[in-house]
Amino acid sequence: MFLRLLLLLLLHPPTATVRPLPASLFFGSRTCSSSNCKIGEMGRQSFLPKAANFRLCNVSGFTTELLEVRSEDPTLHVLFIPGNPGVITFYKDFLESLYELLGGSMSVTAVGHISQSQKVDFIRQEMQDTEVPIILVGHSIGSYISIKVFQKSPKKVIYCIGLYPFLKLNPDSVQQSIIKKLARSSIACAAVSFIMASLGFLPSRLSEFIVAKSIGKSWSRTAIEATCSHLLKYHTMQNVLFMAKTEFEKLSEEPEWAFLKTNRSKIAFLFGIDDHWGPLKMFEEISGQVPEIALSIEREGHTHAFCCTVAGSTWVAQHVASLIKDKILTSD
């Protein structure tokens, strides 16, 4: 029960009845459904799908995890920044689907959580010898980080996509209030981390069974394995809660509207209907502040933790691939 409650708080939006949306909410926006998010062929028949490869990389003296699908001759490089808990293996299905939908013409790399400055260092270190432009894609707090990286690498980054973006604190969210109080207490953080780690000492089949029967009833095998291999560890949970604490500190401020307005043609956001991390009032606020920016609302029933299901991973990959095709490839 404790595992279910904690992970639902961290990974999922609250379960609620979906209310009809006012027509004004969609004014000037680009809404998206599964039927119009398909990117078409884009060379999908001319290459063999690849599995994402995991490797470790040293960036500015810190070891970070990478999950990547490399193209032989990439025209662009998609750099993905995950949300909290920053476990990139959750996104394996999404990354592989995106690579396939892009016809193998672009490399796709997910980089684990390191600081914003170190992500800029990663771009300089790993991509300084290539002229291939970068498309940043961020999920949740990764959307906020992506914008910060975009600000520091304007010559290298040509587009930025935020998925279910966590850009500002939501005072109406009970879940955020609970996590905020939990993350502020070192004793509570240690207790939670210890309990989670104790589950990690169970035989792998047993821990996977518990996850699958508690929070992962609709989850993909990829998500269940990522939970058991990464989240059920003391240091990982400490990092998750520390990052949550810093998120609440940083996101108490207003988004940098001036930067969004200046780069409105290079930024897009995808919101969910019932997502307390990226609520629709944030959608409305962006619409009012930057009316020309590309905004979409996912109405297919996926959650903030889209990467935990195959259907969610595939749909969001289709959406991102469509944005890349419509906003970048067709404009060249």
Side-chain angles (χ1 to χ4, degrees):
M1 183 64 185
F2 176 82
L3 174 64
R4 177 179 174 81
L5 176 61
L6 179 62
L7 291 184
L8 284 176
L9 283 173
L10 291 174
L11 297 177
H12 282 289
T15 302
T17 302
V18 177
R19 298 177 295 278
L21 299 175
S24 60
L25 194 61
F26 298 97
F27 179 76
S29 68
R30 174 181 174 272
T31 56
C32 195
S33 66
S34 58
S35 60
N36 62 18
C37 269
K38 293 181 179 178
I39 195 167
E41 295 303 317
M42 283 193 68
R44 291 181 64 185
Q45 297 178 352
S46 62
F47 80 106
L48 294 176
K50 290 183 179 180
N53 294 315
F54 178 90
R55 71 180 175 95
L56 298 177
C57 178
N58 187 291
V59 181
S60 302
F62 293 88
T63 300
T64 188
E65 297 177 339
L66 300 180
L67 193 62
E68 55 190 0
V69 191
R70 287 184 173 270
S71 172
E72 297 297 329
D73 185 22
T75 56
L76 295 167
H77 197 132
V78 178
L79 184 61
F80 180 77
I81 300 177
N84 200 354
V87 178
I88 55 176
T89 49
F90 272 110
Y91 300 91
K92 183 176 184 292
D93 295 336
F94 165 73
L95 298 174
E96 292 175 349
S97 293
L98 181 58
Y99 175 82
E100 183 178 353
L101 286 162
L102 294 173
S105 62
M106 304 178 195
S107 293
V108 181
T109 300
V111 57
H113 274 316
I114 48 179
S115 70
Q116 295 168 22
S117 62
Q118 289 166 345
K119 282 187 168 62
V120 174
D121 290 342
F122 170 80
I123 292 176
R124 292 171 180 166
Q125 174 182 308
E126 293 287 309
M127 304 175 184
Q128 63 180 350
D129 296 328
T130 176
E131 296 182 358
V132 177
I134 295 172
I135 300 171
L136 290 173
V137 180
H139 173 222
S140 192
I141 187 64
S143 301
Y144 170 86
I145 297 173
S146 293
I147 292 173
K148 292 294 185 182
V149 173
F150 189 7
Q151 287 179 293
K152 296 180 180 180
S153 304
K155 294 182 179 180
K156 194 69 175 175
V157 176
I158 62 170
Y159 205 79
C160 181
I161 301 171
L163 306 173
Y164 305 90
F166 183 25
L167 304 175
K168 183 180 177 181
L169 293 183
N170 180 3
D172 299 327
S173 170
V174 175
Q175 285 178 278
Q176 288 188 27
S177 178
I178 294 173
I179 296 173
K180 184 177 182 179
K181 292 177 181 178
L182 174 63
R184 281 180 171 178
S185 170
S186 58
I187 295 176
C189 288
V192 168
S193 300
F194 177 79
I195 293 172
M196 295 293 286
S198 65
L199 294 174
F201 285 113
L202 297 174
S204 59
R205 288 188 178 181
L206 179 56
S207 61
E208 289 178 4
F209 176 81
I210 293 173
V211 171
K213 294 301 180 181
S214 56
I215 61 171
K217 292 181 179 180
S218 63
W219 281 16
S220 65
R221 182 67 185 172
T222 297
I224 292 174
E225 290 178 350
T227 299
C228 295
S229 64
H230 285 75
L231 288 187
L232 303 186
K233 293 181 179 180
Y234 184 87
H235 72 277
T236 302
M237 284 309 304
Q238 285 282 70
N239 289 339
V240 167
L241 294 169
F242 176 77
M243 186 174 182
K245 178 183 177 182
T246 57
E247 286 176 11
F248 289 121
E249 292 172 352
K250 293 178 180 178
L251 298 184
S252 60
E253 304 171 356
E254 285 291 315
E256 298 193 38
W257 297 117
F259 180 79
L260 294 180
K261 290 176 181 178
T262 302
N263 295 276
R264 58 188 178 276
S265 63
K266 301 177 182 179
I267 298 174
F269 293 113
L270 171 68
F271 285 82
I273 288 180
D274 198 26
D275 180 8
H276 77 93
W277 296 109
L280 290 181
K281 66 179 181 180
M282 189 72 236
F283 174 99
E284 292 180 291
E285 189 171 356
I286 295 176
S287 296
Q289 292 279 356
V290 195
E292 302 91 349
I293 205 167
L295 297 175
S296 304
I297 297 176
E298 175 267 301
R299 294 180 289 173
E300 300 297 312
H302 304 300
T303 68
H304 185 85
F306 71 89
C307 57
C308 290
T309 67
V310 173
S313 296
T314 302
W315 190 93
V316 175
Q318 290 173 342
H319 176 79
V320 172
S322 291
L323 276 174
I324 292 174
K325 177 185 178 183
D326 296 341
K327 301 296 183 179
I328 301 172
L329 299 184
T330 58
S331 63
D332 291 342

